Each structure stands twice: as C-alpha cells, then as structure tokens.
Amino acid sequence: GDHRDLHLSLRRQRQMCIRDRCYIAGTLEYSLRGFVGDVAQDLKLRMWVDADHGGDSACVKATSGVFIALVGPKNFFPLACLSKKQTSAANGTTEAELVAMSLGLRHEAIPLKILWEKLLGREIELEIMEDNEGTEGVIDKGYSPAVRHLPKTQKCCVDFLHEVIKVQQVCKTSIIPTKEQVADIFTKAVDVAGWPNALAIMGMGLHDKGPVG
C-alpha cells in the first residue's frame, strides 16, 4: 500500500511539473503590468485575500491566496502576492478565509504599510478586499466557538484580526463580488471561461497589448 501511494504521488508530481512547464512555455509573451498616474497623497494599499476550502483533493487542505497593490484613482501597481497551503484542513470556508487573512496581514500587508508610511511620510490607508461575509462577522465579534481551535491547528488568532481591524483600525475590510477577487487565481485552478478575467483584474497581459480582457 505504501509503495503504491508513493508511486501515485510521484506520478502526480510529474504530471504537475509537465503542466507547469507547458504553461510557462506557452505564455512567455505575458507579463504583469502596473501603472502610476496619481500624486502621493492619493495612494493607498489594497490587499485581496481568498482561500479555496479543501481545494487539494490529495490532502483536503485549503490554499491561502494574497495579492497586494498600491492603488489610487489612476494607479494600480502590484507589490506582492502569496500562495501557500494551510497547515491543516479547515472545517469550513470561513475558517480557511480567516487563516488566509491573518497570513496576508502578518507576512505582507502590515510590513508594506510600515514601509510605505516611511517612504511617504504619512499614514497610508490599508483596505482588505474579502468575498466572504461570514469572515467579516467573526472578525466583528472577535470570537467564534466554531474556530476556537485555530491558534493550535493553524497558528491563527481571531483576537489578532479583531484587534488590528476593529480596535486599532490599522486597516478596514470591504466585501466584494467573487468575480472581482484578484487573489482567487492564487488558490485554485481557474476554468477556461474565467481565465481571461482572472488575468485582467491582476494586471497580467500581453507585452504589447496591456492587460487581458
């Protein structure tokens, strides 16, 4: 049994490597683009965060996705992105989204906020774009019996999110439609119909034609 599982795992990894190499070879003309058209006073940070609950059929662990850009009325400049498998299986979408938001804040958004406040010499707004209303409800309360195990299993503390977002107001959250969720592409395979939009909203496009879409 163990030998068969190992064989299947290696075969799956080979298939994934082949798919990755084929995709890279077939999209060499694409690049990530940003544009800057605003004065410094109009700039703010925006973080899109998402999670695909149980998206990996092999281990049923969710994947966290994060995308951060410097935005303004005429500004969209990508700064960071992140795709990371969570440390244990989540019991629901809300739990997976909480873990993804905590990861994005701790590893990317808050450090970038500190950096840009030094560069600009002023406080800069940080907005989190989320597409799960259940996550917002848990953060508002600062506690939920359904996710009280998170500090042990995922190293994620709901108190931290509540403190940063609701008490200290380091950032704010906004609910957006799933089709506007830039971080979605970092959590799972996107179907053919949704692929052009997934590339366009993150600024990915042909070298000479701009973003796809």
Side-chain angles (χ1 to χ4, degrees):
D2 292 339
H3 292 293
R4 182 175 180 275
D5 291 341
L6 177 62
H7 173 70
L8 291 175
S9 177
L10 292 174
R11 185 172 65 179
R12 184 169 180 265
Q13 290 179 24
R14 284 196 296 268
Q15 291 173 343
M16 292 172 63
C17 287
I18 292 172
R19 289 183 61 186
D20 288 344
R21 292 178 63 182
C22 290
Y23 175 76
I24 293 171
T27 55
L28 294 176
E29 70 276 16
Y30 285 81
S31 61
L32 184 63
R33 307 178 116 184
F35 54 89
V36 178
D38 290 314
V39 295
Q41 290 82 355
D42 293 334
L43 299 177
K44 66 178 181 180
L45 291 170
R46 184 170 289 166
M47 177 176 78
W48 290 263
V49 60
D50 196 24
D52 178 32
H53 175 233
D56 190 338
S57 59
C59 65
V60 301
K61 292 180 181 178
T63 301
S64 299
V66 176
F67 186 88
I68 303 177
L70 191 66
V71 303
K74 300 177 182 178
N75 205 93
F76 182 87
F77 197 87
L79 297 177
C81 62
L82 182 65
S83 178
K84 185 176 182 181
K85 190 179 296 297
Q86 297 181 3
T87 55
S88 66
N91 291 313
T93 302
T94 296
E95 179 180 328
E97 300 267 356
L98 287 168
V99 174
M101 187 180 296
S102 176
L103 176 72
L105 279 172
R106 291 182 291 109
H107 288 259
E108 300 292 347
I110 292 178
L112 280 171
K113 179 177 170 65
I114 294 171
L115 172 63
W116 279 95
E117 287 181 347
K118 290 288 186 181
L119 293 174
L120 298 176
R122 65 170 177 86
E123 186 175 348
I124 187 170
E125 179 184 332
L126 170 60
E127 184 179 15
I128 302 173
M129 314 305 287
E130 171 66 58
D131 61 1
N132 185 279
E133 295 184 1
T135 303
E136 184 81 5
V138 174
I139 294 172
D140 282 341
K141 296 176 182 177
Y143 175 76
S144 171
V147 296
R148 62 180 180 266
H149 56 278
L150 282 184
K152 291 290 186 180
T153 60
Q154 300 269 26
K155 301 295 186 288
C156 169
C157 182
V158 177
D159 285 339
F160 163 75
L161 295 174
H162 177 75
E163 179 75 19
V164 169
I165 298 172
K166 299 300 178 180
V167 179
Q168 297 187 18
Q169 298 183 342
V170 174
C171 53
K172 66 177 184 179
T173 58
S174 297
I175 300 296
I176 59 172
T178 300
K179 66 179 181 180
E180 298 176 12
Q181 180 54 266
V182 182
D184 187 51
I185 197 173
F186 298 102
T187 67
K188 62 178 179 293
V190 180
D191 59 32
V192 175
W195 188 246
N197 177 68
L199 294 182
I201 60 178
M202 69 181 294
M204 183 74 74
L206 297 173
H207 295 322
D208 57 347
K209 294 184 179 180
V212 176

